[in-house]
Amino acid sequence: MNEYWLTGGTVADGTGSAPSRVDVRVTDDTITALGDAPPGAETIELQGRVLTPGLIDAHVHLGVSSPITAQFGFQLSAAEIAADIFTCAGDALDAGFTTVRDTGGIDGGVVEVIKKGKVRGPRVLSCGPVQCQTGGHGYYGSAWEPTDLWTQHHVPGLCALSLMSGDAGELRRNVRESFRRGATFLKLCVTGGVVGGNDHLDDTQFSVEEIAVAVEEASARGTYVTVHAHNNGGIRNAVLAGVRCVEHGTDIDVETAELMREHDVALIPTFAVVEQLADTEAMGLGSEARDRIAGVRERMASALRIATETGLRVGLGSDLIGPNQARRGEELRLRAALETPMRALVSATSVNAQILGVGETVGKIGEGMLADMVAWREDPLQDASRFADPAMAAIVIKDGRLMKKEN
Ligand SMILES: [Zn+2]
């Protein structure tokens, strides 16, 4: 048995309660007591630092950690793609993220090697490849490459960005295949996207009946569907088909937010990627991406306000893609600017855990929870830019183990 106390810290437990001075006992992988450490106990002294639950990013793409055009243009070896994915996983941990939900791009092997401890990284929940409509968002083959060749860009066990389905039958086959390869939930694209493709942001993709096929297959396995969606038409289709969660939600209006509330559908806004994509040159994107990104930031902020006022559960996801993913906490900084640092923290911990279906084990500092915690060098609740700075995450604990410890 491995047991120690974290002493002398101020605990912000992830629920939104006021931070308090309390010691935390960790036994093996679990938090087993909050109180005063007894004399003689083994301790890690936090010197007044703020201790939060390990952060959760509900929207990541570990499988898209290399320069995008190079990765999907056969310019990189499997070894280089793997190196970039594993570096990205380690960076997430170093930035204070102990759980991530991968919303498309890794194959089950990545989840396994991290779980086995062969590669440093956070706990990963994965949907495997994104489920996309033929000709829809999520396809990065060259213009005249037949859709059938797209899976040639996959590396079995390592990465598989998306599967294209021409109809409901193909979608059913593809989601079953994704589950076989380790997916624990599903993600569908039900509207156009910002990056790439021949579609538009206000297109809807997949019909209600088609989305319902994925929902049926997911619920048969006791899990759920989330959707990439920017416009109201696509979101409404998805809600009516029975999905549990909406990613991005850029244009959500009051009517759609109310429909989401009726069906208990959560929202994951993604502000960090919007900032990232705004620098189209750095991302190697063309002018049409710049046109699509214009105004998205403001509209997403308005959607966040409507969702909050309507009483939706609002989680937090960065959606960072490509080589620059080390500052994953940017999403908390951006959300704190629109809300408060505490609200950003609660979204990134207990609310995200609940939306991801892991609220019984992670997202809070409390007795019986898994010991996933971060000690911040300086208080991020006073200045949320500290959430965005990996150097501020002085101690990162996952499953009771010290994954990072700097003085
Ligand atoms: Zn995404």
Side-chain angles (χ1 to χ4, degrees), residues 249-269:
T250 306
D251 286 326
I252 287 179
D253 61 17
V254 173
E255 215 184 340
T256 302
E258 278 167 3
L259 186 71
M260 288 172 70
R261 188 188 50 201
E262 274 166 41
H263 292 260
D264 192 25
V265 176
L267 172 67
I268 309 288

Side-chain angles (χ1 to χ4, degrees), residues 291-366:
D291 296 344
R292 291 186 195 205
I293 203 77
V296 166
R297 178 195 295 146
E298 293 73 20
R299 279 144 57 203
M300 199 177 274
S302 151
L304 169 64
R305 196 172 53 246
I306 290 170
T308 307
E309 284 166 10
T310 311
L312 299 188
R313 284 181 296 158
V314 182
L316 177 147
S318 70
D319 195 19
L320 295 179
I321 49 173
N324 298 314
Q325 301 191 34
R327 291 173 62 90
R328 199 164 284 293
E330 280 292 339
E331 188 66 27
L332 283 92
R333 183 182 71 78
L334 293 164
R335 283 285 292 277
L338 296 166
E339 304 173 279
T340 65
M342 182 58 102
R343 297 263 313 256
L345 175 66
V346 172
S347 274
T349 53
S350 59
V351 176
N352 262 355
Q354 197 196 16
I355 293 170
L356 273 49
V358 292
E360 301 296 308
T361 49
V362 299
K364 280 184 234 167
I365 297 178

Side-chain angles (χ1 to χ4, degrees), residues 59-61 103-104 130 137 187 228 247-248 270 273 318-321:
H59 192 128
V60 311
H61 295 287
T103 49
V130 187
H137 183 59
K187 179 186 166 198
H228 155 105
E247 313 293 312
H248 317 302
T270 54
V273 73
S318 70
D319 195 19
L320 295 179
I321 49 173

Side-chain angles (χ1 to χ4, degrees), residues 61-66 71 78-91 102 105-107 110 114 119-120 158-160:
H61 295 287
L62 297 179
V64 191
S65 295
S66 306
Q71 179 168 353
E80 186 156 2
I81 295 170
D84 290 342
I85 290 174
F86 298 156
T87 299
C88 184
D91 286 349
D102 197 290
I106 51 169
D107 212 349
V110 174
I114 296 174
V119 169
R120 288 182 79 243
L158 182 69
C159 59

